Amino acid sequence: MTRECEKDFEAIKGYVESYSISHNLKKANYISSLKMVHRGYFSAITWSSELSHGRDEFLKTYKNANDDIVLRLSEVVSDLGSCVFNWLNGNYKVSKIMLRVCIENFIRAVSAIEDKSQISEKNVYKLFVVASSQSVFDECKEFYSMLHADYVNLCADAHTAALQNMEHLTSLADIPAFDDDKSCLVKDFIVRVSENVNLIFCLVFNDFYHSMHHRNKENILNGLKKRNKPLVMRK
């Protein structure tokens, strides 16, 4: 190990020894953003839990659904959890990548209700082309379009399409840390995507939503904008 490498290794060790994010809780913007991110994430956790416990009823209600679709829907919430975890720790680029994966898995799962081949479609461009014309999204075209637009924007980071999205590769400089501007930007993505995912799930699987425990239905609605709640409660 060279002298420079040894010195940098000691710096990394020091970072690990002193690692903590609790000081972020003293920042008003962090707390405000955390509350908004948590609301949407908790809504997703709630319907995912209902889906896990009510799997048989879900499959009975939606004849075109299968275990692969249920599994993929559960992965959506796991992806969202990874996104939130990385955001909490200041790892904004990975957070956005996981959010992109979350959107892709969600579109695969819902789209597969109408076309089973969508669950394993390798061409992502084709995945969205097919999904865009499917009747399963007819009642939520507006929200599907917003998800698609966010996916396109998030791909700029996943594929480092623009210079401003590339991380500098200089030792500890890229170790995750709170950044007010980046945190706010990624928060906006997470809040918007999680709401649209939650909303589309409740609209496409509206009968299943209405079969849930009343407290869980309230917790899901809590993650939606006021103007969108009547769309879900229409039954």
Side-chain angles (χ1 to χ4, degrees):
M1 186 178 291
T2 66
R3 181 173 56 193
E4 291 80 10
C5 186
E6 179 68 30
K7 182 178 179 180
D8 197 60
F9 177 65
E10 290 303 317
I12 288 287
K13 282 174 58 181
Y15 170 82
V16 173
E17 289 171 354
S18 62
Y19 186 78
S20 173
I21 61 172
S22 60
H23 59 278
N24 291 336
L25 296 174
K26 298 176 181 178
K27 301 177 175 70
N29 286 350
Y30 187 85
I31 291 292
S32 176
S33 294
L34 178 59
K35 188 172 184 178
M36 288 186 278
V37 167
H38 173 262
R39 187 182 295 122
Y41 180 41
F42 188 70
S43 178
I45 289 173
T46 303
W47 64 250
S48 179
S49 177
E50 281 277 1
L51 182 61
S52 176
H53 288 92
R55 169 191 162 278
D56 291 343
E57 187 62 31
F58 180 85
L59 293 175
K60 188 185 299 182
T61 303
Y62 302 97
K63 303 298 184 183
N64 291 331
N66 57 29
D67 284 332
D68 286 340
I69 290 173
V70 172
L71 177 61
R72 190 64 63 125
L73 286 170
S74 69
E75 288 178 359
V76 167
V77 181
S78 176
D79 295 335
L80 183 58
S82 294
C83 164
V84 171
F85 175 81
N86 280 284
W87 175 82
L88 283 169
N89 287 274
N91 200 355
Y92 303 115
K93 184 168 184 177
V94 174
S95 180
K96 287 185 280 187
I97 290 173
M98 291 311 303
L99 194 59
R100 178 181 65 86
V101 174
C102 171
I103 295 172
E104 184 179 323
N105 273 328
F106 184 68
I107 296 303
R108 285 185 186 281
V110 178
S111 180
I113 291 289
E114 193 169 314
D115 181 351
K116 295 297 184 294
S117 68
Q118 287 284 81
I119 206 80
S120 57
E121 177 56 61
K122 292 182 172 58
N123 187 319
V124 179
Y125 175 78
K126 183 180 177 182
L127 173 74
F128 280 98
V129 168
V130 172
S132 296
S133 62
Q134 288 181 309
S135 60
V136 70
F137 293 107
D138 280 352
E139 292 188 61
C140 45
K141 282 291 187 185
E142 175 188 354
F143 313 112
Y144 168 84
S145 295
M146 285 191 282
L147 267 187
H148 192 185
D150 277 332
Y151 182 87
V152 171
N153 287 328
L154 288 164
C155 280
D157 292 282
H159 303 302
T160 58
L163 182 61
Q164 62 266 31
N165 289 326
M166 294 180 68
E167 303 288 345
H168 300 293
L169 304 176
T170 56
S171 189
L172 290 178
D174 280 334
I175 293 294
F178 175 77
D179 180 283
D180 201 5
D181 291 337
K182 289 182 179 180
S183 177
C184 189
L185 175 65
V186 180
K187 174 265 296 181
D188 289 342
F189 270 115
I190 298 173
V191 170
R192 188 168 55 246
V193 168
S194 61
E195 171 162 18
N196 285 323
V197 164
N198 293 332
L199 190 51
I200 291 172
F201 179 88
C202 291
L203 291 175
V204 173
F205 307 113
N206 195 247
D207 288 339
F208 182 70
Y209 166 80
H210 284 286
S211 73
M212 297 177 186
H213 188 278
H214 69 94
R215 290 299 300 159
N216 285 339
K217 289 194 287 185
E218 290 176 21
N219 284 323
I220 292 171
L221 288 178
N222 187 53
L224 305 180
K225 289 186 178 69
K226 185 177 180 179
R227 68 173 181 268
N228 291 328
K229 293 179 182 181
L231 299 175
V232 175
M233 300 167 64
R234 67 186 186 275
K235 183 174 180 179

